[in-house]
Amino acid sequence: MPSPILGSVAIFPIRTYPDPVLRLPAAVVGDFGPDLRRLVDDMVETMYAAPGVGLAAPQIGVSLRVFVFDAGAGPMHVINPQLEETSGEYEYEEGCLSVPEHYWPIVRPAYARVRAVDLDGREVVYEGEELTGRVLQHESDHLDGMLLLSRLGRRERKQALRDLRLEAMERGGA
Ligand code: ZN
């Protein structure tokens, strides 16, 4: 459950690998009522508190197609996104709040464009290169139940999974 702060806005604990909610394809948002606005506000607060540049709803245990991000131009919210175009190539030391304290150089397209809707169901388009392009792709992956681990090469992924298993064992005291 969230720990309430700042009146009505809550900061949620962030789900980490291997929480199964992170592997689920998230459901399309159909209800644009006050609960959705509340969810977006909570996600923005949780993202800034982490701190992170993006956060997808499954990362707080809500399996809906919603993400928020701030790639330097203030907080944006993205509902029911479709990644409609990517181009170019860009290597970036990518991390994820759900796989904390790990960064891997990952190559993805540099440019991405996402078509989505806002809290009122109006169509919005987000696009950008480098950091913005990366965040749009990374968060879209979350809504399809994909973590950045899936974007690693085969050998790196094996090593990453081994490291994460070891860390989980250490945390568990085993
Ligand atoms: Zn992530």
mmCIF file of all heavy atoms in Angstrom, residues 26-30 36 39 56-58 62-67 143:
data_model
loop_
_atom_site.group_PDB
_atom_site.id
_atom_site.type_symbol
_atom_site.label_atom_id
_atom_site.label_comp_id
_atom_site.label_asym_id
_atom_site.label_seq_id
_atom_site.Cartn_x
_atom_site.Cartn_y
_atom_site.Cartn_z
ATOM 1 N N ALA A 26 0.322 -4.865 -20.058
ATOM 2 C CA ALA A 26 -0.634 -4.054 -19.313
ATOM 3 C C ALA A 26 -1.907 -3.834 -20.121
ATOM 4 O O ALA A 26 -1.891 -3.877 -21.358
ATOM 5 C CB ALA A 26 0.001 -2.718 -18.943
ATOM 6 N N ALA A 27 -3.003 -3.578 -19.421
ATOM 7 C CA ALA A 27 -4.315 -3.426 -20.055
ATOM 8 C C ALA A 27 -4.526 -2.000 -20.559
ATOM 9 O O ALA A 27 -4.036 -1.031 -19.964
ATOM 10 C CB ALA A 27 -5.409 -3.784 -19.052
ATOM 11 N N VAL A 28 -5.261 -1.892 -21.662
ATOM 12 C CA VAL A 28 -5.617 -0.586 -22.222
ATOM 13 C C VAL A 28 -6.515 0.159 -21.230
ATOM 14 O O VAL A 28 -7.410 -0.427 -20.624
ATOM 15 C CB VAL A 28 -6.358 -0.792 -23.570
ATOM 16 C CG1 VAL A 28 -6.940 0.514 -24.089
ATOM 17 C CG2 VAL A 28 -5.403 -1.407 -24.596
ATOM 18 N N VAL A 29 -6.250 1.458 -21.050
ATOM 19 C CA VAL A 29 -7.072 2.291 -20.173
ATOM 20 C C VAL A 29 -8.388 2.609 -20.872
ATOM 21 O O VAL A 29 -8.392 3.077 -22.015
ATOM 22 C CB VAL A 29 -6.338 3.606 -19.830
ATOM 23 C CG1 VAL A 29 -7.249 4.555 -19.071
ATOM 24 C CG2 VAL A 29 -5.072 3.319 -19.041
ATOM 25 N N GLY A 30 -9.502 2.338 -20.185
ATOM 26 C CA GLY A 30 -10.813 2.646 -20.756
ATOM 27 C C GLY A 30 -11.578 3.645 -19.913
ATOM 28 O O GLY A 30 -12.518 4.279 -20.380
ATOM 29 N N LEU A 36 -7.852 7.905 -12.649
ATOM 30 C CA LEU A 36 -6.737 7.927 -13.602
ATOM 31 C C LEU A 36 -5.850 9.144 -13.330
ATOM 32 O O LEU A 36 -4.608 9.046 -13.329
ATOM 33 C CB LEU A 36 -7.272 7.949 -15.031
ATOM 34 C CG LEU A 36 -6.220 7.884 -16.146
ATOM 35 C CD1 LEU A 36 -5.404 6.586 -16.062
ATOM 36 C CD2 LEU A 36 -6.879 8.001 -17.514
ATOM 37 N N LEU A 39 -3.848 8.422 -10.338
ATOM 38 C CA LEU A 39 -2.752 7.507 -10.667
ATOM 39 C C LEU A 39 -1.586 8.262 -11.299
ATOM 40 O O LEU A 39 -0.417 8.071 -10.923
ATOM 41 C CB LEU A 39 -3.249 6.404 -11.618
ATOM 42 C CG LEU A 39 -2.172 5.470 -12.201
ATOM 43 C CD1 LEU A 39 -1.538 4.600 -11.109
ATOM 44 C CD2 LEU A 39 -2.742 4.578 -13.304
ATOM 45 N N ALA A 56 6.587 3.590 -15.428
ATOM 46 C CA ALA A 56 5.403 2.981 -16.028
ATOM 47 C C ALA A 56 4.524 2.401 -14.920
ATOM 48 O O ALA A 56 5.033 1.953 -13.883
ATOM 49 C CB ALA A 56 5.830 1.887 -17.006
ATOM 50 N N ALA A 57 3.214 2.413 -15.147
ATOM 51 C CA ALA A 57 2.272 1.978 -14.106
ATOM 52 C C ALA A 57 2.575 0.576 -13.550
ATOM 53 O O ALA A 57 2.472 0.375 -12.335
ATOM 54 C CB ALA A 57 0.839 2.075 -14.632
ATOM 55 N N PRO A 58 2.972 -0.398 -14.388
ATOM 56 C CA PRO A 58 3.277 -1.721 -13.808
ATOM 57 C C PRO A 58 4.386 -1.670 -12.742
ATOM 58 O O PRO A 58 4.431 -2.526 -11.860
ATOM 59 C CB PRO A 58 3.733 -2.543 -15.025
ATOM 60 C CG PRO A 58 3.061 -1.884 -16.190
ATOM 61 C CD PRO A 58 3.034 -0.422 -15.857
ATOM 62 N N VAL A 62 0.439 -1.494 -10.980
ATOM 63 C CA VAL A 62 -0.829 -1.216 -11.662
ATOM 64 C C VAL A 62 -0.663 -1.592 -13.131
ATOM 65 O O VAL A 62 0.079 -0.949 -13.876
ATOM 66 C CB VAL A 62 -1.205 0.282 -11.545
ATOM 67 C CG1 VAL A 62 -2.493 0.581 -12.309
ATOM 68 C CG2 VAL A 62 -1.354 0.680 -10.065
ATOM 69 N N SER A 63 -1.336 -2.645 -13.559
ATOM 70 C CA SER A 63 -1.118 -3.169 -14.905
ATOM 71 C C SER A 63 -2.014 -2.455 -15.926
ATOM 72 O O SER A 63 -2.924 -3.044 -16.501
ATOM 73 C CB SER A 63 -1.351 -4.683 -14.910
ATOM 74 O OG SER A 63 -0.778 -5.234 -16.079
ATOM 75 N N LEU A 64 -1.722 -1.175 -16.119
ATOM 76 C CA LEU A 64 -2.444 -0.346 -17.093
ATOM 77 C C LEU A 64 -1.436 0.330 -18.007
ATOM 78 O O LEU A 64 -0.295 0.597 -17.602
ATOM 79 C CB LEU A 64 -3.254 0.738 -16.373
ATOM 80 C CG LEU A 64 -4.535 0.298 -15.668
ATOM 81 C CD1 LEU A 64 -5.129 1.471 -14.897
ATOM 82 C CD2 LEU A 64 -5.544 -0.269 -16.668
ATOM 83 N N ARG A 65 -1.904 0.662 -19.242
ATOM 84 C CA ARG A 65 -1.006 1.257 -20.228
ATOM 85 C C ARG A 65 -0.881 2.768 -19.987
ATOM 86 O O ARG A 65 -1.462 3.591 -20.698
ATOM 87 C CB ARG A 65 -1.492 0.947 -21.655
ATOM 88 C CG ARG A 65 -1.597 -0.554 -21.913
ATOM 89 C CD ARG A 65 -1.846 -0.900 -23.367
ATOM 90 N NE ARG A 65 -0.636 -0.819 -24.154
ATOM 91 C CZ ARG A 65 0.298 -1.753 -24.221
ATOM 92 N NH1 ARG A 65 0.186 -2.867 -23.523
ATOM 93 N NH2 ARG A 65 1.346 -1.594 -24.973
ATOM 94 N N VAL A 66 -0.086 3.087 -18.971
ATOM 95 C CA VAL A 66 0.166 4.474 -18.577
ATOM 96 C C VAL A 66 1.643 4.597 -18.217
ATOM 97 O O VAL A 66 2.174 3.734 -17.516
ATOM 98 C CB VAL A 66 -0.643 4.863 -17.310
ATOM 99 C CG1 VAL A 66 -0.350 6.305 -16.902
ATOM 100 C CG2 VAL A 66 -2.134 4.663 -17.526
ATOM 101 N N PHE A 67 2.301 5.646 -18.727
ATOM 102 C CA PHE A 67 3.612 5.967 -18.170
ATOM 103 C C PHE A 67 3.773 7.472 -18.050
ATOM 104 O O PHE A 67 3.025 8.252 -18.665
ATOM 105 C CB PHE A 67 4.762 5.297 -18.923
ATOM 106 C CG PHE A 67 5.071 5.752 -20.320
ATOM 107 C CD1 PHE A 67 5.767 6.931 -20.562
ATOM 108 C CD2 PHE A 67 4.733 4.960 -21.407
ATOM 109 C CE1 PHE A 67 6.099 7.330 -21.853
ATOM 110 C CE2 PHE A 67 5.049 5.344 -22.716
ATOM 111 C CZ PHE A 67 5.738 6.533 -22.939
ATOM 112 N N LEU A 143 5.117 -1.507 -20.714
ATOM 113 C CA LEU A 143 3.684 -1.766 -20.879
ATOM 114 C C LEU A 143 3.443 -3.077 -21.627
ATOM 115 O O LEU A 143 2.343 -3.626 -21.576
ATOM 116 C CB LEU A 143 3.010 -0.595 -21.599
ATOM 117 C CG LEU A 143 3.227 0.770 -20.934
ATOM 118 C CD1 LEU A 143 2.422 1.840 -21.654
ATOM 119 C CD2 LEU A 143 2.879 0.743 -19.451
#
